[in-house]
Amino acid sequence: MARPLRDVSISKSALARNPFGWAPPLTFAIFVGPILLGLFGTLLPSFGLQPALGQFELSLNPWCAFLSDPALVKSLRLTLTVGFGATAIAVIIGFGSVATLYGTRAFAVVRALLAPALAFPHASFAVGLAFLIAPSGWIARLLSPWATGWDQPPDLLIIRDPDAIALMLSLALKESLFLILMIVGALGQINAGTMMRSARSMGYAPARAWLLVVAPQIYAQVRLPIYAMLASALSIVDMAIVLGPAAPPPLAPMTLDWFRELDTARQLMASAAAIFQLLLVIVAILLWRLGETIVRQSMRGLLTSGIRHGWSERIVGSVGKVGIAFALVASLGAILMLIFWSFAGTWSWPSALPEQWSTAMWVRSVDTLAELVGRSAIIGIAVSAVATALTILCLEAGVGRSTPRWLAILYIPLLVPQISFLFGIQLLWNRLWLDGTVVAVALTQLLFVLPYVFLVLSDPYRALDPLIAIAARSLGASRVRTLFKIKLPLLARPVAGAMAIGFAVSVGLYLPTMFAGAGRIDTLTTEAIALASGADRRQAGIIAFALTVLPFMALALVNLAPNWERRTSR
Amino acid sequence: MTSTGLILKDVHLGIGGRTLLNGLSLEIAPGEIVTLMGESGSGKSSLIAYICGSLDAEFDVAGSITLEEQDIVSLPIERRRIGVMFQDDVLFAHMSVGENLAFAVPKGIGKAERQRRVDDALVEAELEGFAARDPATLSGGQKARVALMRALLAEPRAMLLDEPFSRLDATLRERVRNFAFTTIKRRNIPALLVTHDLQDKTDRVITLGTANN
């Protein structure tokens, strides 16, 4: 009885006099404005309209040129392979592994490894993985020549294979970790433990009970992140440049190549390709939805068949367990490779370890490294701080308390292919004389950092007992004073955590940095990708290693923040 | 008293050096419902978890539990065939009322017979025509009745009731309690109810001392 009353009184007072009322409209403008302008700025050129250059004549030429490109069909096929393949495999690994591991000690281990594994940027994961699995990589070295008979690196397309299988599998492993983290979060929202006990007391085997009873309810909670995974897999660029085929590449990297050409006709064609990918993602999500319905219908029979255990859950569970093991081993192996290569003196094939260790490359790169680390860190700190501040102000203004619609808006930058609006945003910055500046990079990164910060911070923020703030204000403290003196100190740990996540996202962003920086602002990520295809593994190893260390350090620093959450919730 | 019921012999439960139960012995005959009364912290919910098989590994346990002359302590939850009615109804939100019930019917039973058992259960719970309903639309008392019927459809060899009526308001509690007791008795299986509600009286009431440290 007391509960609803309490809520009502809070929302009333919040509406009556809210000093933070300006925050949501401001955030909305910073957030939705560039996205809409960016989409618009990409859409116009795809129909030949370039107001800046005085081109006002509507034309279908860019679309015709794009649709008749000889590489389109192959490139589209690669895009669909990577998009649907990686997402489907990640979903199977994610759900399969939690189904078998739920409630076991191994699950606690996996959970502890998730945060560091996720902080591993895609770009450095790709570079390290390439060093691991390439024909001249570590695995081939460990097996040669005694098991393989290879005296020199074999001429095999293990990575950058023309069908993009390596890219699809690598991305699936990386994304499965993200999905498991989402599943773990969703487990807390439903009464999973009691439901499992209930189903098991009726005789259901644990993995089957989890898949039939818990998984469908979890799926409803993680549906949006899965769509975001699908969208990003369909438009992946950074990992595709390192691990994907080049002739032709999937659509997104191909579009990036066209944008980079100085030929106007090519750029118009690229605009058409960018808009096409937006449509492709929309269709793909609808198809995925259809798939969901089909799976749900075919599962209905299983729910009521009364079968308590069988092969299906064992197969799914085994696939999941093997998958999660691969994902963790691949992450660990990739980091090892970055360390090995950055400290390698001479390392000839097929030695398993460098014949000579050396810091020469580190010494030689120290200036470049300092510059790149400094720039990446400053942008990352600025962007995550602004994103965290905006999030707190919006939450304080009551955003997300009543309408979850706000969350859907937040997901837009994660659901729309980056390339579909980044070109337009670059034009926007160009109009404002900002393109190629750190400010433009930071503002653009904010679009991708803000959603994560909001998603991470909003739950602990709302979980804070509202009576604490009421008590403070009844003692005469203003709302602002209550926020700074009571709420933020109590929420120090989650706020620090959200900032660290924001920092990690910012540091790892490739395409937004690329476009907004107009190729003139180098960060660790852009440099790591640029060096990945180069000949010098040592230098690529150093940059990619530094890129990995930054977010790890940010996450480690979170532990310094005082943690009141645990004490207040028990 | 026969030896085919649920028999606890000298059960000890403790956690972190603190003793919760010190040598509880109890025989529950088929068709008998025993109430275990105790304050919170007296270890009664841990005892339910121990019998059902869901007790956390961090507990220290000793003593034997036999059901139909079979030692069940080493069996996993799903092989014990002990039904549980929890404090929360835990109906599965993604299934209809009918599907929730059908989920519990043992395998190897034809489709028509499964359907008949579900329908019979609904009739017994006075919920005819509720098969297609979404569990979320049910009242508290209706949910509790479905949860009980679901547990019984799995043909358990014993029932455990973990304060199942505490979330219901007083008038409803009386009705659901009577329904639960008569329905379980009809199955002729042993049942153990833990509660701190003095109204939850059954055949035999055993009161646990508050945490005898």
Side-chain angles (χ1 to χ4, degrees), chain A residues 197-198 200-204 206 212-213 216 300 303-306 308, chain B residues 54 77-78 82 90 92 94-95 99 102-105 107 114 150:
Chain A
R197 278 197 287 282
S198 180
R200 287 183 66 187
S201 73
M202 290 178 228
Y204 282 84
L212 291 183
V213 169
R300 278 241 105 90
L303 293 178
T304 53
S305 70
R308 269 29 181 192
Chain B
S54 65
I77 308 180
E78 60 270 21
I82 297 178
V90 284
F92 306 139
H94 61 300
M95 303 184 200
E99 284 171 333
F103 184 84
V105 179
K107 71 163 177 178
R114 305 183 72 81
R150 187 178 68 177

PDB file of all heavy atoms in Angstrom, chain A residues 197-198 200-204 206 212-213 216 300 303-306 308, chain B residues 54 77-78 82 90 92 94-95 99 102-105 107 114 150:
ATOM      1  N   ARG A 197      14.181 -23.704 -10.003  1.00  0.00           N
ATOM      2  CA  ARG A 197      13.873 -24.699  -8.966  1.00  0.00           C
ATOM      3  C   ARG A 197      12.524 -25.352  -9.238  1.00  0.00           C
ATOM      4  O   ARG A 197      12.355 -26.551  -9.117  1.00  0.00           O
ATOM      5  CB  ARG A 197      13.849 -24.031  -7.597  1.00  0.00           C
ATOM      6  CG  ARG A 197      15.218 -23.867  -6.993  1.00  0.00           C
ATOM      7  CD  ARG A 197      15.129 -23.586  -5.503  1.00  0.00           C
ATOM      8  NE  ARG A 197      14.673 -22.246  -5.213  1.00  0.00           N
ATOM      9  CZ  ARG A 197      15.443 -21.173  -5.291  1.00  0.00           C
ATOM     10  NH1 ARG A 197      16.697 -21.280  -5.673  1.00  0.00           N
ATOM     11  NH2 ARG A 197      14.972 -19.974  -5.012  1.00  0.00           N
ATOM     12  N   SER A 198      11.576 -24.491  -9.644  1.00  0.00           N
ATOM     13  CA  SER A 198      10.234 -24.991  -9.906  1.00  0.00           C
ATOM     14  C   SER A 198      10.237 -25.998 -11.048  1.00  0.00           C
ATOM     15  O   SER A 198       9.701 -27.106 -10.915  1.00  0.00           O
ATOM     16  CB  SER A 198       9.336 -23.791 -10.228  1.00  0.00           C
ATOM     17  OG  SER A 198       8.046 -24.210 -10.495  1.00  0.00           O
ATOM     18  N   ARG A 200      12.768 -27.653 -12.257  1.00  0.00           N
ATOM     19  CA  ARG A 200      13.571 -28.830 -11.955  1.00  0.00           C
ATOM     20  C   ARG A 200      12.840 -29.759 -10.981  1.00  0.00           C
ATOM     21  O   ARG A 200      12.947 -30.978 -11.088  1.00  0.00           O
ATOM     22  CB  ARG A 200      14.925 -28.422 -11.388  1.00  0.00           C
ATOM     23  CG  ARG A 200      15.844 -27.845 -12.448  1.00  0.00           C
ATOM     24  CD  ARG A 200      17.206 -27.522 -11.881  1.00  0.00           C
ATOM     25  NE  ARG A 200      17.928 -28.724 -11.474  1.00  0.00           N
ATOM     26  CZ  ARG A 200      19.083 -28.685 -10.823  1.00  0.00           C
ATOM     27  NH1 ARG A 200      19.624 -27.524 -10.504  1.00  0.00           N
ATOM     28  NH2 ARG A 200      19.699 -29.804 -10.487  1.00  0.00           N
ATOM     29  N   SER A 201      12.076 -29.151 -10.051  1.00  0.00           N
ATOM     30  CA  SER A 201      11.347 -30.018  -9.119  1.00  0.00           C
ATOM     31  C   SER A 201      10.266 -30.816  -9.845  1.00  0.00           C
ATOM     32  O   SER A 201       9.772 -31.814  -9.339  1.00  0.00           O
ATOM     33  CB  SER A 201      10.736 -29.191  -7.986  1.00  0.00           C
ATOM     34  OG  SER A 201       9.629 -28.459  -8.455  1.00  0.00           O
ATOM     35  N   MET A 202       9.906 -30.359 -11.056  1.00  0.00           N
ATOM     36  CA  MET A 202       8.967 -31.163 -11.860  1.00  0.00           C
ATOM     37  C   MET A 202       9.712 -32.188 -12.700  1.00  0.00           C
ATOM     38  O   MET A 202       9.115 -32.878 -13.524  1.00  0.00           O
ATOM     39  CB  MET A 202       8.178 -30.246 -12.798  1.00  0.00           C
ATOM     40  CG  MET A 202       7.182 -29.359 -12.098  1.00  0.00           C
ATOM     41  SD  MET A 202       6.388 -28.314 -13.328  1.00  0.00           S
ATOM     42  CE  MET A 202       6.524 -26.736 -12.560  1.00  0.00           C
ATOM     43  N   GLY A 203      11.031 -32.259 -12.569  1.00  0.00           N
ATOM     44  CA  GLY A 203      11.786 -33.312 -13.230  1.00  0.00           C
ATOM     45  C   GLY A 203      12.564 -32.873 -14.454  1.00  0.00           C
ATOM     46  O   GLY A 203      13.161 -33.709 -15.135  1.00  0.00           O
ATOM     47  N   TYR A 204      12.583 -31.563 -14.761  1.00  0.00           N
ATOM     48  CA  TYR A 204      13.290 -31.122 -15.960  1.00  0.00           C
ATOM     49  C   TYR A 204      14.791 -31.032 -15.718  1.00  0.00           C
ATOM     50  O   TYR A 204      15.237 -30.529 -14.682  1.00  0.00           O
ATOM     51  CB  TYR A 204      12.759 -29.754 -16.422  1.00  0.00           C
ATOM     52  CG  TYR A 204      11.442 -29.872 -17.165  1.00  0.00           C
ATOM     53  CD1 TYR A 204      10.241 -29.940 -16.476  1.00  0.00           C
ATOM     54  CD2 TYR A 204      11.419 -29.949 -18.551  1.00  0.00           C
ATOM     55  CE1 TYR A 204       9.035 -30.079 -17.145  1.00  0.00           C
ATOM     56  CE2 TYR A 204      10.230 -30.080 -19.239  1.00  0.00           C
ATOM     57  CZ  TYR A 204       9.033 -30.151 -18.528  1.00  0.00           C
ATOM     58  OH  TYR A 204       7.855 -30.289 -19.207  1.00  0.00           O
ATOM     59  N   PRO A 206      18.477 -29.549 -15.889  1.00  0.00           N
ATOM     60  CA  PRO A 206      18.770 -28.123 -15.707  1.00  0.00           C
ATOM     61  C   PRO A 206      18.842 -27.313 -17.006  1.00  0.00           C
ATOM     62  O   PRO A 206      18.184 -26.277 -17.131  1.00  0.00           O
ATOM     63  CB  PRO A 206      20.125 -28.140 -14.996  1.00  0.00           C
ATOM     64  CG  PRO A 206      20.204 -29.449 -14.331  1.00  0.00           C
ATOM     65  CD  PRO A 206      19.400 -30.396 -15.155  1.00  0.00           C
ATOM     66  N   LEU A 212      13.768 -23.788 -21.736  1.00  0.00           N
ATOM     67  CA  LEU A 212      12.316 -23.723 -21.941  1.00  0.00           C
ATOM     68  C   LEU A 212      11.661 -22.639 -21.089  1.00  0.00           C
ATOM     69  O   LEU A 212      10.695 -21.999 -21.522  1.00  0.00           O
ATOM     70  CB  LEU A 212      11.666 -25.072 -21.606  1.00  0.00           C
ATOM     71  CG  LEU A 212      11.956 -26.239 -22.556  1.00  0.00           C
ATOM     72  CD1 LEU A 212      11.182 -27.473 -22.127  1.00  0.00           C
ATOM     73  CD2 LEU A 212      11.596 -25.874 -23.992  1.00  0.00           C
ATOM     74  N   VAL A 213      12.157 -22.433 -19.894  1.00  0.00           N
ATOM     75  CA  VAL A 213      11.452 -21.576 -18.946  1.00  0.00           C
ATOM     76  C   VAL A 213      12.098 -20.187 -18.826  1.00  0.00           C
ATOM     77  O   VAL A 213      11.416 -19.173 -18.864  1.00  0.00           O
ATOM     78  CB  VAL A 213      11.402 -22.256 -17.561  1.00  0.00           C
ATOM     79  CG1 VAL A 213      10.920 -21.286 -16.511  1.00  0.00           C
ATOM     80  CG2 VAL A 213      10.485 -23.462 -17.617  1.00  0.00           C
ATOM     81  N   PRO A 216      13.155 -17.945 -22.897  1.00  0.00           N
ATOM     82  CA  PRO A 216      12.195 -17.104 -23.624  1.00  0.00           C
ATOM     83  C   PRO A 216      11.931 -15.774 -22.924  1.00  0.00           C
ATOM     84  O   PRO A 216      11.745 -14.749 -23.579  1.00  0.00           O
ATOM     85  CB  PRO A 216      10.924 -17.962 -23.653  1.00  0.00           C
ATOM     86  CG  PRO A 216      11.380 -19.355 -23.454  1.00  0.00           C
ATOM     87  CD  PRO A 216      12.583 -19.258 -22.564  1.00  0.00           C
ATOM     88  N   ARG A 300       6.760 -24.066 -29.108  1.00  0.00           N
ATOM     89  CA  ARG A 300       5.521 -24.220 -28.334  1.00  0.00           C
ATOM     90  C   ARG A 300       5.242 -25.682 -28.010  1.00  0.00           C
ATOM     91  O   ARG A 300       4.866 -26.026 -26.905  1.00  0.00           O
ATOM     92  CB  ARG A 300       4.328 -23.654 -29.137  1.00  0.00           C
ATOM     93  CG  ARG A 300       4.178 -22.154 -29.040  1.00  0.00           C
ATOM     94  CD  ARG A 300       2.848 -21.772 -28.431  1.00  0.00           C
ATOM     95  NE  ARG A 300       2.966 -21.328 -27.059  1.00  0.00           N
ATOM     96  CZ  ARG A 300       3.175 -20.058 -26.693  1.00  0.00           C
ATOM     97  NH1 ARG A 300       3.303 -19.119 -27.596  1.00  0.00           N
ATOM     98  NH2 ARG A 300       3.261 -19.740 -25.432  1.00  0.00           N
ATOM     99  N   LEU A 303       7.268 -27.074 -25.191  1.00  0.00           N
ATOM    100  CA  LEU A 303       6.913 -26.614 -23.853  1.00  0.00           C
ATOM    101  C   LEU A 303       5.931 -27.561 -23.181  1.00  0.00           C
ATOM    102  O   LEU A 303       5.974 -27.768 -21.979  1.00  0.00           O
ATOM    103  CB  LEU A 303       6.283 -25.220 -23.924  1.00  0.00           C
ATOM    104  CG  LEU A 303       7.176 -24.074 -24.364  1.00  0.00           C
ATOM    105  CD1 LEU A 303       6.393 -22.780 -24.435  1.00  0.00           C
ATOM    106  CD2 LEU A 303       8.334 -23.920 -23.395  1.00  0.00           C
ATOM    107  N   THR A 304       5.031 -28.133 -23.975  1.00  0.00           N
ATOM    108  CA  THR A 304       3.957 -28.914 -23.375  1.00  0.00           C
ATOM    109  C   THR A 304       4.074 -30.401 -23.689  1.00  0.00           C
ATOM    110  O   THR A 304       3.170 -31.164 -23.400  1.00  0.00           O
ATOM    111  CB  THR A 304       2.586 -28.403 -23.861  1.00  0.00           C
ATOM    112  OG1 THR A 304       2.597 -28.388 -25.291  1.00  0.00           O
ATOM    113  CG2 THR A 304       2.323 -27.000 -23.352  1.00  0.00           C
ATOM    114  N   SER A 305       5.205 -30.820 -24.285  1.00  0.00           N
ATOM    115  CA  SER A 305       5.328 -32.234 -24.640  1.00  0.00           C
ATOM    116  C   SER A 305       5.615 -33.085 -23.407  1.00  0.00           C
ATOM    117  O   SER A 305       5.456 -34.293 -23.429  1.00  0.00           O
ATOM    118  CB  SER A 305       6.460 -32.418 -25.649  1.00  0.00           C
ATOM    119  OG  SER A 305       7.695 -32.196 -25.005  1.00  0.00           O
ATOM    120  N   GLY A 306       6.098 -32.435 -22.331  1.00  0.00           N
ATOM    121  CA  GLY A 306       6.363 -33.186 -21.115  1.00  0.00           C
ATOM    122  C   GLY A 306       7.714 -33.862 -21.106  1.00  0.00           C
ATOM    123  O   GLY A 306       8.090 -34.481 -20.113  1.00  0.00           O
ATOM    124  N   ARG A 308      11.349 -34.400 -20.404  1.00  0.00           N
ATOM    125  CA  ARG A 308      12.146 -33.789 -19.333  1.00  0.00           C
ATOM    126  C   ARG A 308      13.600 -33.593 -19.710  1.00  0.00           C
ATOM    127  O   ARG A 308      14.289 -32.761 -19.142  1.00  0.00           O
ATOM    128  CB  ARG A 308      12.068 -34.668 -18.086  1.00  0.00           C
ATOM    129  CG  ARG A 308      10.971 -34.417 -17.053  1.00  0.00           C
ATOM    130  CD  ARG A 308       9.724 -33.846 -17.527  1.00  0.00           C
ATOM    131  NE  ARG A 308       8.798 -33.641 -16.393  1.00  0.00           N
ATOM    132  CZ  ARG A 308       7.517 -33.362 -16.527  1.00  0.00           C
ATOM    133  NH1 ARG A 308       6.986 -33.241 -17.733  1.00  0.00           N
ATOM    134  NH2 ARG A 308       6.757 -33.167 -15.469  1.00  0.00           N
TER     135      ARG A 308
ATOM    136  N   SER B  54      17.620 -27.883  -3.484  1.00  0.00           N
ATOM    137  CA  SER B  54      18.119 -26.627  -4.037  1.00  0.00           C
ATOM    138  C   SER B  54      18.961 -25.853  -3.035  1.00  0.00           C
ATOM    139  O   SER B  54      19.218 -24.678  -3.230  1.00  0.00           O
ATOM    140  CB  SER B  54      16.941 -25.762  -4.479  1.00  0.00           C
ATOM    141  OG  SER B  54      16.158 -25.381  -3.365  1.00  0.00           O
ATOM    142  N   ILE B  77      17.778 -32.085  -7.935  1.00  0.00           N
ATOM    143  CA  ILE B  77      16.372 -31.686  -7.797  1.00  0.00           C
ATOM    144  C   ILE B  77      15.459 -32.476  -8.725  1.00  0.00           C
ATOM    145  O   ILE B  77      14.421 -33.002  -8.304  1.00  0.00           O
ATOM    146  CB  ILE B  77      16.163 -30.195  -8.153  1.00  0.00           C
ATOM    147  CG1 ILE B  77      17.125 -29.292  -7.392  1.00  0.00           C
ATOM    148  CG2 ILE B  77      14.712 -29.775  -7.879  1.00  0.00           C
ATOM    149  CD1 ILE B  77      16.935 -27.835  -7.734  1.00  0.00           C
ATOM    150  N   GLU B  78      15.869 -32.545  -9.993  1.00  0.00           N
ATOM    151  CA  GLU B  78      14.949 -33.071 -11.008  1.00  0.00           C
ATOM    152  C   GLU B  78      14.705 -34.572 -10.884  1.00  0.00           C
ATOM    153  O   GLU B  78      13.797 -35.104 -11.506  1.00  0.00           O
ATOM    154  CB  GLU B  78      15.440 -32.698 -12.422  1.00  0.00           C
ATOM    155  CG  GLU B  78      16.818 -33.233 -12.805  1.00  0.00           C
ATOM    156  CD  GLU B  78      17.929 -32.254 -12.438  1.00  0.00           C
ATOM    157  OE1 GLU B  78      17.700 -31.393 -11.565  1.00  0.00           O
ATOM    158  OE2 GLU B  78      19.021 -32.371 -13.012  1.00  0.00           O
ATOM    159  N   ILE B  82       9.836 -34.251  -6.042  1.00  0.00           N
ATOM    160  CA  ILE B  82       9.174 -33.596  -4.910  1.00  0.00           C
ATOM    161  C   ILE B  82       8.626 -32.265  -5.415  1.00  0.00           C
ATOM    162  O   ILE B  82       9.380 -31.438  -5.934  1.00  0.00           O
ATOM    163  CB  ILE B  82      10.169 -33.348  -3.752  1.00  0.00           C
ATOM    164  CG1 ILE B  82      10.685 -34.686  -3.234  1.00  0.00           C
ATOM    165  CG2 ILE B  82       9.499 -32.549  -2.639  1.00  0.00           C
ATOM    166  CD1 ILE B  82      11.696 -34.551  -2.120  1.00  0.00           C
ATOM    167  N   VAL B  90       5.548 -18.101  -9.154  1.00  0.00           N
ATOM    168  CA  VAL B  90       6.415 -18.442 -10.292  1.00  0.00           C
ATOM    169  C   VAL B  90       5.717 -19.167 -11.444  1.00  0.00           C
ATOM    170  O   VAL B  90       6.211 -20.159 -11.941  1.00  0.00           O
ATOM    171  CB  VAL B  90       7.696 -19.219  -9.902  1.00  0.00           C
ATOM    172  CG1 VAL B  90       8.693 -18.299  -9.279  1.00  0.00           C
ATOM    173  CG2 VAL B  90       7.418 -20.403  -9.014  1.00  0.00           C
ATOM    174  N   PHE B  92       5.129 -19.346 -15.307  1.00  0.00           N
ATOM    175  CA  PHE B  92       6.030 -18.915 -16.374  1.00  0.00           C
ATOM    176  C   PHE B  92       5.297 -17.908 -17.257  1.00  0.00           C
ATOM    177  O   PHE B  92       4.282 -18.222 -17.880  1.00  0.00           O
ATOM    178  CB  PHE B  92       6.512 -20.117 -17.179  1.00  0.00           C
ATOM    179  CG  PHE B  92       7.126 -21.189 -16.307  1.00  0.00           C
ATOM    180  CD1 PHE B  92       6.867 -22.524 -16.552  1.00  0.00           C
ATOM    181  CD2 PHE B  92       7.953 -20.847 -15.239  1.00  0.00           C
ATOM    182  CE1 PHE B  92       7.424 -23.509 -15.749  1.00  0.00           C
ATOM    183  CE2 PHE B  92       8.514 -21.825 -14.433  1.00  0.00           C
ATOM    184  CZ  PHE B  92       8.244 -23.161 -14.684  1.00  0.00           C
ATOM    185  N   HIS B  94       5.775 -16.550 -20.092  1.00  0.00           N
ATOM    186  CA  HIS B  94       5.668 -16.667 -21.547  1.00  0.00           C
ATOM    187  C   HIS B  94       4.753 -17.809 -21.966  1.00  0.00           C
ATOM    188  O   HIS B  94       4.635 -18.103 -23.142  1.00  0.00           O
ATOM    189  CB  HIS B  94       7.043 -16.843 -22.163  1.00  0.00           C
ATOM    190  CG  HIS B  94       7.755 -18.078 -21.684  1.00  0.00           C
ATOM    191  ND1 HIS B  94       8.049 -18.291 -20.362  1.00  0.00           N
ATOM    192  CD2 HIS B  94       8.216 -19.159 -22.341  1.00  0.00           C
ATOM    193  CE1 HIS B  94       8.676 -19.450 -20.237  1.00  0.00           C
ATOM    194  NE2 HIS B  94       8.769 -19.996 -21.429  1.00  0.00           N
ATOM    195  N   MET B  95       4.117 -18.463 -20.999  1.00  0.00           N
ATOM    196  CA  MET B  95       3.188 -19.547 -21.344  1.00  0.00           C
ATOM    197  C   MET B  95       1.795 -19.212 -20.808  1.00  0.00           C
ATOM    198  O   MET B  95       1.664 -18.549 -19.780  1.00  0.00           O
ATOM    199  CB  MET B  95       3.637 -20.859 -20.688  1.00  0.00           C
ATOM    200  CG  MET B  95       5.032 -21.305 -21.039  1.00  0.00           C
ATOM    201  SD  MET B  95       5.332 -22.932 -20.270  1.00  0.00           S
ATOM    202  CE  MET B  95       7.110 -22.982 -20.290  1.00  0.00           C
ATOM    203  N   GLU B  99      -0.702 -23.980 -20.802  1.00  0.00           N
ATOM    204  CA  GLU B  99       0.653 -24.433 -21.119  1.00  0.00           C
ATOM    205  C   GLU B  99       1.477 -24.623 -19.855  1.00  0.00           C
ATOM    206  O   GLU B  99       2.292 -25.548 -19.759  1.00  0.00           O
ATOM    207  CB  GLU B  99       1.347 -23.444 -22.056  1.00  0.00           C
ATOM    208  CG  GLU B  99       0.851 -23.546 -23.490  1.00  0.00           C
ATOM    209  CD  GLU B  99       1.369 -22.420 -24.365  1.00  0.00           C
ATOM    210  OE1 GLU B  99       1.653 -21.325 -23.840  1.00  0.00           O
ATOM    211  OE2 GLU B  99       1.470 -22.629 -25.579  1.00  0.00           O
ATOM    212  N   ALA B 102       0.374 -27.937 -18.688  1.00  0.00           N
ATOM    213  CA  ALA B 102       0.821 -29.025 -19.565  1.00  0.00           C
ATOM    214  C   ALA B 102       2.316 -29.256 -19.429  1.00  0.00           C
ATOM    215  O   ALA B 102       2.804 -30.374 -19.594  1.00  0.00           O
ATOM    216  CB  ALA B 102       0.465 -28.707 -21.022  1.00  0.00           C
ATOM    217  N   PHE B 103       3.053 -28.196 -19.091  1.00  0.00           N
ATOM    218  CA  PHE B 103       4.498 -28.292 -18.892  1.00  0.00           C
ATOM    219  C   PHE B 103       4.829 -29.343 -17.833  1.00  0.00           C
ATOM    220  O   PHE B 103       5.866 -29.989 -17.886  1.00  0.00           O
ATOM    221  CB  PHE B 103       5.028 -26.915 -18.470  1.00  0.00           C
ATOM    222  CG  PHE B 103       6.517 -26.827 -18.309  1.00  0.00           C
ATOM    223  CD1 PHE B 103       7.333 -26.593 -19.413  1.00  0.00           C
ATOM    224  CD2 PHE B 103       7.112 -26.958 -17.067  1.00  0.00           C
ATOM    225  CE1 PHE B 103       8.702 -26.500 -19.267  1.00  0.00           C
ATOM    226  CE2 PHE B 103       8.492 -26.865 -16.911  1.00  0.00           C
ATOM    227  CZ  PHE B 103       9.292 -26.632 -18.018  1.00  0.00           C
ATOM    228  N   ALA B 104       3.913 -29.498 -16.876  1.00  0.00           N
ATOM    229  CA  ALA B 104       4.189 -30.379 -15.742  1.00  0.00           C
ATOM    230  C   ALA B 104       3.783 -31.823 -15.990  1.00  0.00           C
ATOM    231  O   ALA B 104       4.269 -32.736 -15.316  1.00  0.00           O
ATOM    232  CB  ALA B 104       3.480 -29.856 -14.500  1.00  0.00           C
ATOM    233  N   VAL B 105       2.876 -32.059 -16.946  1.00  0.00           N
ATOM    234  CA  VAL B 105       2.394 -33.428 -17.175  1.00  0.00           C
ATOM    235  C   VAL B 105       3.565 -34.297 -17.635  1.00  0.00           C
ATOM    236  O   VAL B 105       4.325 -33.886 -18.509  1.00  0.00           O
ATOM    237  CB  VAL B 105       1.270 -33.434 -18.237  1.00  0.00           C
ATOM    238  CG1 VAL B 105       0.786 -34.859 -18.479  1.00  0.00           C
ATOM    239  CG2 VAL B 105       0.119 -32.543 -17.799  1.00  0.00           C
ATOM    240  N   LYS B 107       6.088 -37.031 -19.390  1.00  0.00           N
ATOM    241  CA  LYS B 107       6.190 -37.352 -20.808  1.00  0.00           C
ATOM    242  C   LYS B 107       5.630 -38.747 -21.075  1.00  0.00           C
ATOM    243  O   LYS B 107       5.302 -39.488 -20.148  1.00  0.00           O
ATOM    244  CB  LYS B 107       7.636 -37.270 -21.250  1.00  0.00           C
ATOM    245  CG  LYS B 107       8.508 -38.381 -20.711  1.00  0.00           C
ATOM    246  CD  LYS B 107       9.797 -38.462 -21.507  1.00  0.00           C
ATOM    247  CE  LYS B 107      10.694 -39.533 -20.900  1.00  0.00           C
ATOM    248  NZ  LYS B 107      11.933 -39.724 -21.631  1.00  0.00           N
ATOM    249  N   ARG B 114      -3.026 -35.787 -22.207  1.00  0.00           N
ATOM    250  CA  ARG B 114      -2.399 -34.607 -21.590  1.00  0.00           C
ATOM    251  C   ARG B 114      -3.441 -33.510 -21.430  1.00  0.00           C
ATOM    252  O   ARG B 114      -3.560 -32.890 -20.384  1.00  0.00           O
ATOM    253  CB  ARG B 114      -1.264 -34.054 -22.458  1.00  0.00           C
ATOM    254  CG  ARG B 114      -0.181 -35.028 -22.824  1.00  0.00           C
ATOM    255  CD  ARG B 114       0.914 -34.318 -23.626  1.00  0.00           C
ATOM    256  NE  ARG B 114       1.698 -33.438 -22.771  1.00  0.00           N
ATOM    257  CZ  ARG B 114       2.672 -33.867 -21.997  1.00  0.00           C
ATOM    258  NH1 ARG B 114       2.988 -35.142 -22.000  1.00  0.00           N
ATOM    259  NH2 ARG B 114       3.321 -33.047 -21.218  1.00  0.00           N
ATOM    260  N   ARG B 150      -0.136 -27.153 -10.933  1.00  0.00           N
ATOM    261  CA  ARG B 150       1.007 -27.438 -11.800  1.00  0.00           C
ATOM    262  C   ARG B 150       1.974 -28.375 -11.082  1.00  0.00           C
ATOM    263  O   ARG B 150       2.433 -29.362 -11.659  1.00  0.00           O
ATOM    264  CB  ARG B 150       1.712 -26.136 -12.190  1.00  0.00           C
ATOM    265  CG  ARG B 150       2.786 -26.335 -13.217  1.00  0.00           C
ATOM    266  CD  ARG B 150       3.432 -25.030 -13.616  1.00  0.00           C
ATOM    267  NE  ARG B 150       4.218 -24.451 -12.519  1.00  0.00           N
ATOM    268  CZ  ARG B 150       4.927 -23.327 -12.631  1.00  0.00           C
ATOM    269  NH1 ARG B 150       4.924 -22.666 -13.768  1.00  0.00           N
ATOM    270  NH2 ARG B 150       5.596 -22.870 -11.608  1.00  0.00           N
TER     271      ARG B 150
END
